[in-house]
Amino acid sequence: MSTIPHITLNNGVRIPQLGFGVFQVPDAETTPAVASALDAGYRSIDTAAIYGNEKGVGAALADSGIAREDLFVTTKLWNADQGYDATLKAFDESLAKLGLDHVDLYLIHWPTPARDLYLDTWRALERLAADGRIRAAGVSNFQPDHLRRLLDHSSLVPAVNQIELHPGLQQRELRALHGELGIATEAWSPLAQGALLGEDAIVSVAAAHGRSPAQVVLRWHLQLGNVVIPKSVTPSRIRENLDVFDFTLSDDEMTAIGALDRGLRTGPDPDTLN
Ligand code: NDP
C-alpha cells in the first residue's frame, strides 16, 4: 500500500495530498465505493451536502474500523444554506448524516456572488472552527476578488480553496494568489472527468513511463503541489489513481502538459453561478 504524502494547512492541520471524491455517486453506491477506496489506502474523502451521499460516506467510515484520527473528511455547505444561522443548521445536518462529531474540512461550496452572503457564511465557519467542530475552514470556487473581499472582512484565512483545476484549466492566477496568501490549492475534477485522457501530450508521457494517462495527470498535479480528489466507482481505477507515488515527470514532461491549458471548464463559472 502506498504512503500518501500530506500537505500542512495554514493552521497546522495536515491533509492527505490525494483523496477520494464522490460527486454524482448515488447514496447507496457511495458506501461500497468509499469502502473500496479505504481498503485501497485512501484516508481522505470529499463529499458535499448537495451530493446527497453524506449518509453513504458515513456508513463506509463507520464500517471501516479505521480510527477517526486517521481519516480526513471534507463536506461542503450548499448555496441555499448560506447565511450565518442557516449555515450552522446545515452543518448540524451534515454532521448527523455523516455520523461524526466533527469534520476535518468544511467548505463554502460556491461564492454565489449575487446572493452576497458569503461574508456572513464565513462568520459561521469561524464559529465552527472556534468551537472545534471543524478542524479547518475553507472555500470552494472562490475567484481572486472573492478571496480578497473575504480577507478584507476576516482575519481567518481559508485553509483551502477547492477549484476546478486540470491540464485544460490550470488556474495560474489563483494558484499564485493562494501561494501569496497561504491557501492550499485543492483540484476538483482533477481528471477533467476523463476529457483529457486521450490528449497526445498525456498519452505519450504515459507511454514513456508505462503508466495510464490518468496516473500521469494526477502525477502532474502532485508535482505542482495541488491536493487532488479523483473520483471513481471502479475498483481497479480507485487503486490505479492511488498508485502515483513511485515515478516522477521530468521538467520537459511538466512543460508539455502545461501547454494544454486552454480555459476548459467542465463545470459552472463561479462568477455567474448563483
Ligand atoms: P474526476 O476528474 O475525478 O473524474 C471522474 C471521472 O473519471 C469518472 O467518470 C471516472 O469514471 C473517470 N475516471 C476516474 N479514474 C479514472 C482512470 N484511472 N482512468 C479513466 N477514467 C477514470 O471528476 P469529478 O468531477 O468527480 O471530480 C472529483 C471530485 O471533485 C468529485 O467527486 C467531488 O468530490 C469534487 N468536486 C467538487 C466540486 C466543487 O464545486 N467543489 C465540483 C466537482 C467535483 P468511473 O467512476 O466510472 O470509474
Side-chain angles (χ1 to χ4, degrees), residues 166-170 172 175 190 196 199-206 209 212-221 223-224 247-262:
H166 44 68
L169 182 70
Q170 298 189 13
R172 291 168 206 261
R175 284 193 286 121
L196 300 167
E199 289 282 337
D200 287 347
I202 292 170
V203 170
S204 63
V205 172
H209 287 273
S212 72
Q215 287 175 317
V216 164
V217 172
L218 293 172
R219 189 67 219 170
W220 171 84
H221 281 286
Q223 288 183 216
L224 288 180
F247 71 107
T248 303
L249 304 183
S250 68
D251 290 348
D252 285 351
E253 290 169 336
M254 291 294 287
T255 304
I257 297 170
L260 296 175
D261 197 9
R262 53 172 182 266

Side-chain angles (χ1 to χ4, degrees), residues 4-153:
I4 302 170
H6 286 69
I7 299 255
T8 302
L9 303 175
N10 60 18
N11 65 353
V13 168
R14 294 167 78 244
I15 182 173
Q17 199 182 357
L18 194 151
F20 185 68
V22 295
F23 177 43
Q24 292 175 324
V25 185
D27 199 32
E29 287 167 44
T30 300
T31 305
V34 172
S36 176
L38 294 171
D39 190 48
Y42 293 76
R43 290 295 177 266
S44 167
I45 309 295
D46 181 88
T47 183
I50 194 68
Y51 300 171
N53 57 20
E54 289 169 312
K55 271 192 179 164
V57 169
L61 299 177
D63 291 349
S64 73
I66 298 169
R68 176 67 185 90
E69 61 267 27
D70 294 331
L71 296 166
F72 192 100
V73 181
T74 301
T75 193
K76 312 184 193 87
L77 174 85
W78 186 239
N79 304 340
D81 294 319
Q82 283 210 30
Y84 186 83
D85 292 332
T87 296
L88 296 177
K89 182 164 174 282
F91 177 76
D92 285 344
E93 287 166 8
S94 283
L95 214 50
K97 286 181 183 154
L98 287 162
L100 300 175
D101 65 3
H102 70 280
V103 297
D104 298 280
L105 179 62
Y106 197 42
L107 305 176
I108 302 178
H109 206 144
W110 293 88
T112 62
R115 290 171 185 252
D116 197 18
L117 283 171
Y118 63 78
L119 297 178
D120 286 344
T121 304
W122 189 244
R123 282 198 300 115
L125 266 67
E126 289 178 329
R127 157 100 183 264
L128 292 170
D131 290 349
R133 304 182 76 204
I134 63 180
R135 293 178 66 226
V139 296
S140 179
N141 300 300
F142 273 46
Q143 299 280 48
D145 287 352
H146 308 136
L147 288 176
R148 290 195 187 96
R149 180 155 175 256
L150 194 73
L151 292 177
D152 282 345
H153 292 84

